[in-house]
Amino acid sequence: MLLFYVTSTLSNWGSIEVQDQVKQVLAAEPLKSSGLAITDALSWLRWALMGAAAVAVAGIVFAIYTARGHQASRVILTVICGLASLVFLAGGLFGLLPAAFAIGCGIYLWTADSRQWFAVKNGKAILVEKPRVDPFANPGMTGGFETPREAATQPAEGSPAPQAATYVAAPIRGPQPKAVLGAGLVALIMSAMVALVSGMNAVFYAVAPDAYVRLFNDNPLMRDTVSQAGMTAAELARALFIGCSIALVLSLAAIVAAGATLAGKRLGRNVLVGLTVVTVPISIVAFPVGLVWTAGAIVTLVLLKRPDSRAWFANASTRPARTTKSVDNPG
């Protein structure tokens, strides 16, 4: 998210809007008395943003290697999380949420389960799994089947043969593949970003449509967008409201589907695949801003289509199926 924000800001670098924002910051204390020129401020700020982009890319790389069990990457990623939390907290109220995420990531990297997992991945420990107690097992179970017990007494003549319960072995779902976890998280993060931006625009227009239209007239960049679209500011604002409303509904549906996918629901996986297919052409139309969502949609689709992901969702049964057999006629 930080890389996307920095890249978006640098793509608009040198615009009138950015210069106006920098001028407002320089006009306030304590920078007002420093006599800093706007050209110098823009140059330094540009280098700072490029450095932030480099740190964000490094964080992504070290996160990938950490997920693969690389011990040194875990240490470096923890340091990056600590530094990032300080930077986010310095940003005020809007930095509280990302700072909380950064602190949480740093803490979770060193929990007992994480330390054990890294020790196993690096050959410093051996994972010994305790046998799980089967709540459906009983002394008569043998190899997944129950041997019917013989009746203690013979049934009365003419009475129906007594029935004995038996259990038939059914496929048990194994641990969640990493591909499913990755697809669910990518879809969840991307959909949440769309829902946030689209929801803010839709609510702003619904609450104060006149003020929303004035933004198109007062902002130089938006005025250029209006002229290029061949529409009036009011028409463009209404079109954006309709588009943001549709995007909000689809993104909320994708969030629910991603959550169901992570929970192992086959229906959630199927809905998420359909929404991902719809996302690809829409995000391509929104080039270059939608390029990130195009990549995310393709990654999600590829991960969900992998053989291990399909097999995991196919094994939907989590318990043996119970049937009955006749004691007199076990066959």
Side-chain angles (χ1 to χ4, degrees), residues 90-293:
L93 181 62
F94 293 99
L96 292 179
L97 183 60
F101 275 113
I103 295 173
C105 290
I107 293 175
Y108 273 111
L109 286 175
W110 297 94
T111 59
D113 291 339
S114 297
R115 293 196 302 269
Q116 180 184 11
W117 184 80
F118 275 97
V120 173
K121 291 289 289 185
N122 290 275
K124 298 179 180 179
I126 300 176
L127 181 61
V128 179
E129 296 185 356
K130 296 181 179 179
R132 298 181 179 179
V133 179
D134 186 357
F136 300 98
N138 57 60
M141 292 288 286
T142 303
F145 296 90
E146 179 184 5
T147 304
R149 298 178 181 178
E150 296 184 358
T153 59
Q154 293 295 330
E157 186 177 354
S159 62
Q163 302 292 321
T166 185
Y167 293 89
V168 180
I172 304 300
R173 174 177 292 177
Q176 185 183 67
K178 293 182 179 180
V180 176
L181 177 61
L185 292 179
V186 170
L188 197 62
I189 294 173
M190 293 296 182
S191 302
M193 294 172 63
V194 175
L196 178 62
V197 176
S198 300
M200 291 176 60
N201 281 274
V203 171
F204 188 11
Y205 182 86
V207 174
D210 295 336
Y212 193 83
V213 173
R214 281 199 299 271
L215 289 177
F216 288 81
N217 295 323
D218 296 340
N219 191 301
L221 292 177
M222 296 307 298
R223 284 201 301 267
D224 295 339
T225 304
V226 171
S227 60
Q228 292 175 2
M231 307 168 63
T232 64
E235 292 173 345
L236 182 58
R238 180 174 178 79
L240 286 176
F241 168 71
I242 296 175
C244 288
S245 300
I246 297 175
L248 177 61
V249 174
L250 293 177
S251 59
L252 291 177
I255 291 174
V256 175
T261 300
L262 292 174
K265 304 297 181 182
R266 189 184 302 178
L267 178 60
R269 181 254 183 195
N270 295 337
V271 173
L272 185 58
V273 169
L275 291 174
T276 302
V277 173
V278 174
T279 301
V280 173
I282 296 177
S283 58
I284 292 177
V285 173
F287 182 87
V289 178
L291 185 60
V292 177
W293 280 267

